[in-house]
Amino acid sequence: MATIVETAETSELLSELTTMVGREDPYPRYDRLRQISPLVRADDGAIVVTRYADCATVARDGRLGHTSPDMLAFVGLPDWAEHPALRLLFTSMLAANPPAHTRLRRLVSSAFTARRVQALEPAIEAMVADLLDRMDGETDFVSAFAFPLPVNVIGELLGVPAADRAQFQPLIRDWTQVLEVIDPEVLARADPAASTVRAYLADLIAERRRRPGTDLISSLVAGGTEQLTEDELVTMAGLLFAAGFETTTNLLVNGLVALLGHPKQVPAVQADPAGAVEELLRFDTPVQLISRLAYEDVQIAGVTIGAGERLVAYLGAGNRDPERFIAPHRLDLFRADNAPLSFGGGIHYCLGAPLARLEAKIAFPALFRRFPNLVAAGEPERRDSLTIRGLTRMPVRT
Ligand code: HEM
């Protein structure tokens, strides 16, 4: 039977994951943790899981919930609601538990429909073509393509005017840094950024109330029989903007790194774009971990985890679990029975998954059709974060 293990080696492995060396290649460390035990106790008290099945349980089990206010109190921030950055994030649906989560998710799902996502296809194709037209010679793939595409797509969906979209990159990056660390230095940048985002979105919502359009914000404002409050509308719009952003950027970036490292597999991107995107999501997932709090006792790996315990599921590790995937460290764009954990699971399953998949399914084939000889052209820069895995710079030559 498994036990919750905490040794000098597990502690060393977990702390390596927070260093640049560990970030460069976390996968051997995940493997070692998984071999030592399915359940590992981190120095901060959280229980870490690395097996596919256990990560899926952490995402899906209704007895586990989001940690928001409890976690913030835990890290010594009883005044969290006074910080605009923490308030905007931790009062959002992403951090909510039922029944508040159920209501918010229902209201946004009725506006964020499959039909609305599908309707964006021609606009995404046009944006991709436009960005590719501007790529020439040596280029930083992040700033030339991987960032502007998702920001414009989410901007289009929400109805943020094109000219206003670029300013959101630094703002959202500063704001969402609180997902990684909450300290005074981070808050000093995150709070004003969140306030600016909030004020912008409040104005946009007021404008759509006066003159409704066909965008998602107009649908949310109109509501149905039940409506979101003004504050909930701003928070929801902020969440959608932030959640759809660095994640999709890094799907494009990590996916391209994987493809350039396996040039023989590039043709598969044209043959089966949807299958290729699933495998790229599995191979190097942009969201490496999710966390939960046990609100009741729950069995994981045969062990009873008591109410009050915090759990961290390394989705990036579950996606490389040899018990679930044959040759998990091999990129195989035609992999059968592929069901990566990259969008989480259960009630918080990523709302934007169909949109992220659509963007990547259009982007990769178009990129390689236009630039069949695309290669890496210099040292990339890794993003200094644990939860979001990706690059801030990726020089390529067309
Ligand atoms: C490759 C790109 C993406 C990845 C890897 C990703 C990953 C995730 C994951 C792992 C979760 C679950 C978090 C948890 O359980 O704690 C999540 C939730 C969420 N995602 Fe995504 N996401 C991506 C793109 C998007 C896009 C494009 C949007 C919006 C347009 C979006 C909106 C959301 C929202 C609103 C939630 C919260 C859902 C809820 O709490 O019910 N995501 N995402």
Side-chain angles (χ1 to χ4, degrees), residues 3-249:
T3 49
I4 306 174
V5 172
E6 184 179 14
T7 63
E9 188 185 1
T10 57
S11 165
E12 176 65 25
L13 285 163
L14 288 170
S15 86
E16 274 173 23
L17 290 172
T18 66
T19 64
M20 273 328 249
V21 176
R23 269 167 206 176
E24 205 44 56
D25 191 8
Y27 298 109
R29 292 161 179 96
Y30 293 158
D31 282 347
R32 183 69 194 125
L33 285 167
R34 206 189 299 104
Q35 278 159 12
I36 294 172
S37 175
L39 300 164
V40 167
R41 176 84 65 187
D43 288 352
D44 68 358
I47 298 171
V48 169
V49 303
T50 44
R51 295 198 311 187
Y52 182 95
D54 301 331
C55 289
T57 302
V58 169
R60 290 176 195 149
D61 196 301
R63 290 165 295 182
L64 305 172
H66 264 279
T67 51
S68 43
D70 303 281
M71 194 259 306
L72 293 161
F74 175 85
V75 296
L77 280 162
D79 66 338
W80 65 275
E82 307 298 314
H83 288 278
L86 301 178
R87 219 173 85 75
L88 193 53
L89 202 63
F90 291 102
T91 57
S92 80
M93 176 175 76
L94 176 66
N97 291 319
H101 176 270
T102 321
R103 173 178 161 269
L104 293 170
R105 178 96 186 193
R106 191 179 60 238
L107 289 172
V108 70
S109 300
S110 65
F112 198 126
T113 55
R115 196 193 302 165
R116 189 184 290 278
V117 170
Q118 211 44 52
L120 282 171
E121 190 165 347
I124 299 174
E125 276 166 357
M127 286 176 205
V128 165
D130 179 50
L131 292 170
L132 293 178
D133 282 347
R134 295 171 205 216
M135 269 174 71
D136 188 21
E138 293 218 353
T139 319
D140 169 25
F141 179 70
V142 178
S143 54
F145 191 91
F147 165 69
L149 180 64
V151 89
N152 277 300
V153 172
I154 194 75
E156 188 73 22
L157 179 82
L158 290 177
V160 172
D164 294 352
R165 293 173 194 163
Q167 62 173 312
F168 280 96
Q169 179 180 27
L171 289 172
I172 301 235
R173 187 164 281 179
D174 282 349
W175 165 35
T176 53
Q177 193 58 26
V178 295
L179 283 170
E180 294 289 331
V181 234
I182 303 176
D183 67 20
E185 202 185 316
V186 166
L187 285 170
R189 293 158 69 100
D191 281 339
S195 298
T196 309
V197 170
R198 172 173 280 280
Y200 179 91
L201 292 172
D203 285 351
L204 186 66
I205 287 163
E207 171 62 24
R208 290 297 178 274
R209 218 181 265 293
R210 281 193 298 274
R211 267 190 294 275
T214 53
D215 51 82
L216 181 68
I217 288 192
S218 298
S219 298
L220 287 174
V221 166
T225 45
E226 199 187 354
Q227 297 209 328
L228 292 165
T229 66
E230 200 64 29
D231 200 48
E232 287 170 341
L233 273 170
V234 175
T235 306
M236 184 65 83
L239 171 67
L240 292 175
F241 216 129
F245 186 122
E246 302 263 13
T247 47
T248 314
T249 295

Side-chain angles (χ1 to χ4, degrees), residues 59 66 93-96 101 105 108 112 154 157 236 239-241 243-245 247-251 281 285-287 289-292 315 341-345 347-353 355-357 359:
H66 264 279
M93 176 175 76
L94 176 66
H101 176 270
R105 178 96 186 193
V108 70
F112 198 126
I154 194 75
L157 179 82
M236 184 65 83
L239 171 67
L240 292 175
F241 216 129
F245 186 122
T247 47
T248 314
T249 295
N250 289 315
L251 168 59
L281 277 161
T285 188
V287 177
L289 60 92
I290 57 170
S291 48
R292 294 289 190 271
L315 306 177
L341 297 164
S342 312
F343 292 119
I347 61 167
H348 292 281
Y349 180 79
C350 177
L351 181 74
L355 182 60
R357 286 189 170 115
E359 288 180 51

